[in-house]
Every structure is written in structure tokens, then in C-alpha cells.
Amino acid sequence: MSATFSEKKLELEYYDLWKQHFLKNFKAATIETFIPGKEEVHVGFDLGFSAQKSKFKFTADDFFEWIKERVQNPSHKESILLFAYFYQYKLVEEVAKLSRIKDKHLLGYLAKNCNFKEEQPAYRAKLDIKPKPYDKGKKIRPYGQHEALVRLSKVPNASVAYCTPKFIKSDGYPSRKHIDDLCLTKVDISSKIPNDGKTHHLYFSDKLGTLRYWCSDPIKASRLNMEYSREDLMTPKDLFLLLKFNFLSIENSDLNFESIEINQSDFQRERFMQYFNALPSCTRLMVVNI
């Protein structure tokens, strides 16, 4: 894959446009971004919104003090709300003709049940299902990138999606970039795909993603709306619960979000940083001054 056309390059090309997009949606005077640390032991996320641009992030210590005060003092008049989003970039490749795909069960289903045309192109984004090694190959993560996304989708008001371009490598980047060059495919519990050793994709009927399916036994995928409202935002307490839930679910995949409670011991800096740094690196916590 060319360095000029990669998931990381796509991320960098559209970072500022995403920031402008959130500013417009929330009509906020300012918007800041908390970027979790680079701990990727437990989750396989490898990309995010320009972690290199330090001017867009607060320190972890600043964030710890800010959220601790607001969770411990719920009577504090809240003027800053939070929007948590988990977007994983994926590049899209063209299948010259749908009829060329090797999985005949998948081919037949897409053609007969999903209105894909066998003799027309289709497009797909490869999903990372298999858990990856870390610690110089000595250890294996407990689950893969896709399952990590599905787990996070259980959290109320967390926006979880794959972010794919409406163009492929042979097209090159648009000369004038716009946020509508990208499409978001919502991840939820119905998106779960088994770790059966097979290769799995998110299939699109065209570059615009008019029709899209998770392909194991194909399940229809949904577009995620790029417009947000204040009702989609999290309170500091919601966010704190999300951090703890994500950390604890590493060891307990059946953990119920509603069972999570905040204890006094959670406000120890060392423990909070464990929660914070276990977030995937693609996570961004937008702090919106409203």
C-alpha cells in the first residue's frame, strides 16, 4: 500500500474537516479534543484523528482533575458536555465484478437478496477479526479490532462506526476535500462477526455505500448519521462509566454496562489512568463549550 494512500494518510487529510464539522453541528465557540494514550495492548485499533497535533489535546492530568471534580460534585453547574466517538478508518477496494468473488454462498446471497449486480463492480473494506500479537509477539490480545468496536457499541450515547472514503486508490484524493467524501457505517451488536479464521468484509454496492452488508452470513449494515444533537452528548458521569466499562470488559466479555458503578477508589489517579489508557487510540472525546 502506497504511503500516500493509507488509512493513516486518510486520517490526516480529513482531521481538520472533522473538527470544523463538530463545531458547525454544536454551534460552539470552542471545541477541544482529549486523546487517550497509545496503549493498544487490549484493543487492536491502529488509527485515529491526528494524535500528532498536540495543540488539539489536553494533558491526561488535566482531564483527570476536570472529570473527577464533575463526577464527585454532581451539583456543579455543567457548562461543558462531552461527545465520545469511536471511528475506525478503513480503505475501500474495488471488486471489478461481483461474480469474481470466491465465496459462492456470499455471491448468491448478495445477488439474490441484496440487489447487488453480478456483472457490476462492488466495493469492500476488509475487517480485522483476528486478535493481534503484542509485546514483540509474546502475547496475543484477547479479541480483535472488530470485536472491540462491537463491545464499545453497547455503551449508551457512544458513536461507533467504520469511516470509509467514497473513493479508491486509483481515484486519488479529491482535489477539494469535503466531509461528505467519507461515509460512516454504524457498528452495533448485530454487526458481530465470528472469529472463524475466514476473511470478512463490509461490502458496498457502490462507492457511495448505497447498499452495505456485513458479510459472514450477510447482515444489512446501516449508515450512521453525521448530524448530532445535544441529546447525543454524554455527561461526565456517563463518560467515566464508559472508561471503567471498557477496561473491565477486557477480562469479562459478558459484562453488562448497567452493572457498572463508580466507587471512591476509581478516583485514584493511577486507576483512572488505567481506564483512560485502555481506550482505543481511535477514540476521541470532544469537549464542547455550549
Side-chain angles (χ1 to χ4, degrees):
M1 177 63 67
S2 168
T4 60
F5 197 81
S6 64
E7 292 173 351
K8 190 64 177 179
K9 176 67 172 175
L10 182 67
E11 164 205 334
L12 294 173
E13 290 286 333
Y14 284 89
Y15 177 86
D16 288 329
L17 287 176
W18 272 116
K19 191 165 186 286
Q20 294 168 24
H21 173 73
F22 284 119
L23 279 167
K24 178 182 177 182
N25 270 275
F26 294 123
K27 296 180 173 59
T30 59
I31 203 167
E32 299 287 356
T33 310
F34 288 107
I35 301 180
K38 296 182 178 180
E39 174 60 55
E40 295 181 24
V41 170
H42 301 296
V43 289
F45 294 84
D46 53 1
L47 295 169
F49 289 170
S50 189
Q52 294 87 346
K53 296 190 177 184
S54 59
K55 67 179 181 179
F56 294 123
K57 59 182 177 180
F58 298 110
T59 68
D61 283 327
D62 290 340
F63 184 46
F64 171 59
E65 294 299 331
W66 181 87
I67 197 170
K68 180 176 71 172
E69 191 242 342
R70 280 159 177 77
V71 175
Q72 289 184 315
N73 299 286
S75 61
H76 178 87
K77 186 177 180 181
E78 192 57 69
S79 60
I80 303 177
L81 300 176
L82 296 141
F83 178 69
Y85 59 95
F86 304 78
Y87 294 168
Q88 179 61 50
Y89 283 103
K90 290 291 179 185
L91 298 181
V92 175
E93 64 175 356
E94 182 182 37
V95 179
K97 289 184 179 181
L98 184 69
S99 59
R100 293 184 183 179
I101 65 174
K102 296 179 181 179
D103 188 330
K104 299 307 176 185
H105 168 73
L106 174 60
L107 169 61
Y109 193 95
L110 290 175
K112 294 177 183 178
N113 301 89
C114 307
N115 294 319
F116 281 59
K117 307 300 181 184
E118 287 195 38
E119 299 307 308
Q120 293 182 4
Y123 300 85
R124 65 188 183 186
K126 185 178 179 181
L127 305 178
D128 288 331
I129 306 297
K130 187 176 179 180
K132 294 182 179 180
Y134 68 99
D135 192 18
K136 298 181 179 179
K138 297 176 184 178
K139 300 177 182 177
I140 300 291
R141 296 184 178 104
Y143 45 81
Q145 182 188 88
H146 182 71
E147 185 175 343
L149 277 168
V150 174
R151 285 167 179 255
L152 285 170
S153 73
K154 298 177 183 179
V155 178
N157 295 332
S159 180
V160 185
Y162 283 107
C163 181
T164 52
K166 297 176 183 176
F167 50 87
I168 59 177
K169 183 178 180 179
S170 59
D171 298 330
Y173 290 97
S175 56
R176 297 186 66 181
K177 297 179 182 62
H178 190 277
I179 200 71
D180 287 339
D181 300 337
L182 307 172
C183 67
L184 298 178
T185 300
K186 183 179 180 180
V187 176
D188 56 29
I189 193 63
S190 68
S191 313
K192 188 158 183 159
I193 293 175
N195 183 14
D196 54 8
K198 297 181 180 179
T199 300
H200 295 282
H201 297 84
L202 173 59
Y203 265 85
F204 301 91
S205 60
D206 54 37
K207 294 180 186 179
L208 301 179
T210 303
L211 299 173
R212 55 188 83 176
Y213 282 82
W214 306 106
C215 290
S216 48
D217 286 326
I219 300 171
K220 191 171 184 179
S222 302
R223 184 187 305 271
L224 184 68
N225 193 347
M226 286 191 179
E227 302 298 321
Y228 305 100
S229 69
R230 289 185 62 154
E231 286 70 32
D232 295 323
L233 295 172
M234 292 180 159
T235 67
K237 183 178 180 180
D238 291 335
L239 178 61
F240 204 108
L241 289 169
L242 180 153
L243 295 171
K244 186 173 182 179
F245 169 78
N246 179 70
F247 179 80
L248 295 179
S249 68
I250 291 166
E251 300 297 333
N252 181 4
S253 61
D254 296 322
L255 190 66
N256 189 318
F257 182 80
E258 283 70 30
S259 68
I260 304 299
E261 296 179 351
I262 297 174
N263 305 312
Q264 193 61 35
S265 60
D266 293 321
F267 295 106
Q268 297 174 8
R269 184 190 177 282
E270 183 177 354
R271 177 165 295 185
F272 176 82
M273 290 307 171
Q274 285 182 310
Y275 300 163
F276 186 67
N277 288 328
L279 282 174
S281 62
C282 77
T283 307
R284 294 298 174 265
L285 310 172
M286 308 298 294
V287 181
V288 186
N289 292 295
I290 298 179

